Amino acid sequence: MSETPQNESTDSPDFESMTRDIAEVPAVEVIVTVAVNLMSAAAVKLGLTEEGEEHKDLDEARKLIHALAGLLDAGATEVSSFHAAPLRDGLKSLQLAFREASLIPDEPGQGPGEKYTGPVYG
């Protein structure tokens, strides 16, 4: 008997199945999921989780908040206000938390994502 592997890579992802699955997901759901992931990552980098200071990195948080603001700005017309309003509220909360966590706060309008949202005051 020859030793031919029946399924060479049982650990590799099934890209055909993944593509088919993502094709069935509405664009709004993808946008909202990405936004929620950015929000969660930013909260961790701001030290807002149980571990707090252990993962705090304001430089990383700035990048994530800025990316979130850009996504919400670009996607605002694509998602309904039902989805957009809570995401904008979450963004503003993260921007305020960033301002509070900064030793030297940015000038209003210069904080992360404020290029897209306008100034955030604490």
Side-chain angles (χ1 to χ4, degrees):
M1 259 191 188
S2 68
E3 291 187 32
T4 322
Q6 290 188 9
N7 189 354
E8 245 178 67
S9 56
T10 57
D11 294 335
S12 69
D14 179 7
F15 290 113
E16 185 177 321
S17 174
M18 290 169 59
T19 301
R20 187 173 48 251
D21 290 345
I22 198 72
E24 297 169 5
V25 178
V28 170
E29 191 172 325
V30 173
I31 293 167
V32 170
T33 299
V34 170
V36 169
N37 286 331
L38 287 168
M39 290 174 83
S40 298
V44 168
K45 296 298 183 178
L46 284 170
L48 301 176
T49 61
E50 287 182 17
E51 293 83 25
E53 297 293 318
E54 184 179 338
H55 301 291
K56 189 173 184 178
D57 184 336
L58 294 183
D59 185 50
E60 291 290 302
R62 177 184 293 278
K63 293 171 188 171
L64 291 162
I65 294 168
H66 191 75
L68 174 61
L71 174 65
L72 295 182
D73 184 55
T77 59
E78 306 303 324
V79 298
S80 67
S81 60
F82 175 78
H83 294 292
L87 294 173
R88 281 193 298 267
D89 290 344
L91 170 60
K92 185 172 182 177
S93 295
L94 290 169
Q95 289 172 313
L96 288 170
F98 183 90
R99 185 167 295 285
E100 290 173 10
S102 298
L103 294 176
I104 303 171
D106 296 314
E107 292 293 320
Q110 301 301 310
E114 292 181 23
K115 166 184 174 181
Y116 300 107
T117 63
V120 174
Y121 300 97

